[in-house]
Amino acid sequence: MSTHDTDDRTGTFGDYGGQYVPEVLMPAVEELTDAYERYVLDNEAGFVDDFRDRIREFGGRPTPLSYAANLSERYGTEVYLKREDLLHGGAHKLNNALGQVLLAKYMGKDRIVAETGAGQHGTATAMACAYLDMPCEIYMGRTDVNRQRPNVFRMRLHDAEVNPVTVGSGTLKEAINETMRDWATNVEDTHYVIGSIVGPHPFPSMVRDFQAIISEEMREQARDQIGRLPEAVVACAGGGSNTMGAFGAFVGSASLPGHPEGSHEPAPDVDLLAVEAGGSSLGVDADEGYAPNSASLSTGTEGVLHGARTKLLQTDEGQIVESHSVSAGLDYAGVGPELAHLVDEGRVEPVNVDDDAALEAFHRLSREEGIIPALETSHAVAYLEHYDGDGPVVVNVSGRGDKDLDTVVEESAAKDIDGAPSMEVFEE
Ligand SMILES: *Cc1c(COP(=O)(O)O)cnc(C)c1O
């Protein structure tokens, strides 16, 4: 069934994955594993059919595969864009949030908790909860609450409670710990919706399966519109959920029942490129406990973070360091265990582009194709500058960039980014 050494029933990907959680969380993780196997892998009670219907009706799937004529001309190769920016909510995150909130309903849970960093996952979860009539609490670091106010309002508009977390640096890491604590205390009635292909088993496999609808559609669309599979698929990698969504059907590891025939067959000839945030430079400054990048796939070392063994940005002593990226959604010191394994196996090639290249790509796609991409997505678009294959190449447009306008205007002016338009306005 799968080309690589993975086991969806134990959640191991070579040396990575597993369930590194405190004893109090074991019952929750085991109950969820059982539900994942029954409802997702075996489509019990028609769960997957229900998910497919709802992500179509409420989410607006399938998202288009758009031919990018101007980029194709620029690079002398056929470029296609998989438009997850057109999914409801403006990013791929709803695929997973809707899947998990629906699963929680099938499990008889009546309360949802989730963590959020930049607020995108919290917003998608709050949206899914409003739609499915589930009470929802979101943990968000105090610092993030202050710098992501529009997303805090969006979550509240969807009737979610936003709990600011004041400990530590008040960012994603602390929010994850608080959410784990809540889950452990309220296992009976609560489900924890993790936002990427990270965390203990079954999260990495389950989130990949919900997101793999992206590559499943991409294959069907490539066959109809191009007449063949693409030579390469390019996606940005933070935790890695849009990446495994874009790669899953080609790797053959995803297992979402009810897919069109052949759409999950391993396709070893398709090159899979994961683009990480190179930030301002590569490497880890161990003395400062800081990495000026989020390139854990290309430069990380093995360790355990948030319940799974994976590749991490850490010091020689195993201290996790603060990461950096101009894009909040890529700013994470770890990465999904399956992606780490696929890189070790040579199936996925990790590459990285820096902050400035991502900003330039943000402007290029806006100017030349009429699509304002998320700053995360801009990393994948920026990689086209280095792509030297024959094509066709598909870039996964994981989300739209409206949320990033303030950052882009500020950073583009400060760094004198190539191709940035003037943002001066006339005042009376
Ligand atoms: C959250 C986010 C990402 C990064 O998360 P992954 O799990 O790596 O996909 C990428 N793009 C967009 C638009 C996002 O919102």
Side-chain angles (χ1 to χ4, degrees):
M1 196 176 84
S2 104
T3 49
H4 70 135
D5 175 23
T6 72
D7 188 341
D8 277 335
R9 306 271 163 178
T10 63
T12 52
F13 308 94
D15 295 335
Y16 303 114
Q19 293 178 324
Y20 295 83
V21 297
E23 204 55 41
V24 286
L25 267 180
M26 273 320 283
V29 159
E30 277 167 6
E31 186 190 350
L32 184 61
T33 303
D34 177 60
Y36 165 61
E37 291 178 2
R38 285 166 43 204
Y39 294 117
V40 182
L41 296 182
D42 299 338
N43 193 23
E44 191 176 304
F47 169 80
V48 177
D49 306 317
D50 194 4
F51 167 67
R52 286 179 178 280
D53 285 347
R54 288 174 187 272
I55 198 66
R56 200 172 290 135
E57 258 186 59
F58 179 67
R61 304 209 71 90
T63 61
L65 181 67
S66 308
Y67 179 58
N70 301 320
L71 285 189
S72 297
E73 190 178 297
R74 167 184 280 273
Y75 295 114
T77 186
E78 276 179 89
V79 178
Y80 287 83
L81 306 171
K82 179 61 174 162
R83 304 292 304 281
E84 293 300 294
D85 58 312
L86 295 179
L87 187 68
H88 179 44
H92 67 291
K93 289 208 163 63
L94 183 69
N95 297 322
N96 169 49
L98 183 67
Q100 286 198 50
V101 177
L102 189 64
L103 181 67
K105 270 213 124 94
Y106 276 65
M107 291 170 74
K109 304 289 175 189
D110 51 24
R111 176 174 175 265
I112 294 293
V113 292
E115 89 295 339
T116 197
Q120 296 301 108
H121 171 58
T123 304
T125 304
M127 234 158 54
C129 284
Y131 168 64
L132 291 168
D133 193 22
M134 283 282 254
C136 176
E137 275 185 54
I138 306 289
Y139 289 91
M140 188 172 187
R142 173 97 253 169
T143 312
D144 287 334
V145 168
N146 289 333
R147 61 185 178 191
Q148 308 287 346
R149 294 166 64 84
N151 275 335
V152 174
F153 294 137
R154 280 186 195 111
M155 290 184 261
R156 287 191 181 148
L157 286 170
H158 295 310
D159 206 24
E161 199 174 308
V162 181
N163 301 322
V165 178
T166 51
V167 293
S169 58
T171 58
L172 180 64
K173 196 154 38 108
E174 290 85 15
I176 294 178
N177 293 338
E178 269 317 294
T179 320
M180 290 263 182
R181 196 162 305 144
D182 183 313
W183 194 31
T185 317
N186 301 293
V187 203
E188 301 275 285
D189 66 345
T190 300
H191 173 66
Y192 173 13
V193 179
I194 286 188
S196 192
I197 55 161
V198 301
H201 178 66
F203 286 106
S205 299
M206 179 170 70
V207 176
R208 173 206 61 210
D209 291 349
F210 291 137
Q211 291 291 1
I213 199 159
I214 299 172
S215 43
E216 181 184 308
E217 282 174 11
M218 200 191 281
R219 286 182 79 144
E220 294 287 290
Q221 291 167 323
R223 200 196 51 202
D224 293 349
Q225 296 173 226
I226 316 175
R228 52 168 286 203
L229 291 181
E231 181 196 59
V233 180
V234 181
C236 66
S241 69
N242 89 90
T243 332
M244 278 315 296
F247 298 172
F250 297 100
V251 170
S253 67
S255 9
L256 199 64
H259 53 77
E261 202 178 329
S263 64
H264 283 249
E265 290 298 312
D269 292 341
V270 177
D271 295 338
L272 305 173
L273 293 134
V275 187
E276 298 194 281
S280 54
S281 64
L282 292 181
V284 167
D285 184 339
D287 292 338
E288 297 292 325
Y290 177 71
N293 61 78
S294 308
S296 41
L297 277 178
S298 344
T299 68
T301 51
E302 205 174 313
V304 171
L305 179 65
H306 297 134
R309 178 168 289 278
T310 186
K311 280 185 199 284
L312 304 172
L313 297 175
Q314 57 188 339
T315 63
D316 293 341
E317 285 78 42
Q319 196 70 32
I320 313 290
V321 302
E322 293 279 331
S323 53
H324 160 81
S325 168
V326 68
S327 140
L330 299 186
D331 193 350
Y332 180 62
V335 66
E338 180 169 16
L339 206 46
H341 176 60
L342 287 167
V343 163
D344 280 3
E345 279 198 321
R347 180 65 190 95
V348 169
E349 186 185 344
V351 292
N352 59 76
V353 305
D354 65 17
D355 286 348
D356 291 8
L359 285 162
E360 283 170 20
F362 178 99
H363 292 297
R364 200 178 303 121
L365 197 70
S366 303
R367 192 175 60 238
E368 298 188 11
E369 294 292 346
I371 297 168
I372 298 178
L375 268 176
E376 292 85 0
T377 310
S378 301
H379 287 74
V381 177
Y383 179 72
L384 289 171
E385 294 278 311
H386 307 286
Y387 175 70
D388 59 2
D390 298 327
V393 54
V394 177
V395 176
N396 192 40
V397 180
S398 54
R400 67 174 187 227
D402 308 55
K403 67 186 178 62
D404 296 318
L405 294 187
D406 287 349
T407 309
V408 169
V409 169
E410 204 174 291
E411 296 272 333
S412 299
K415 299 173 125 184
D416 198 14
I417 292 296
D418 255 12
S422 165
M423 289 294 167
E424 243 173 84
V425 289
F426 298 101
E427 285 173 29
E428 287 291 306

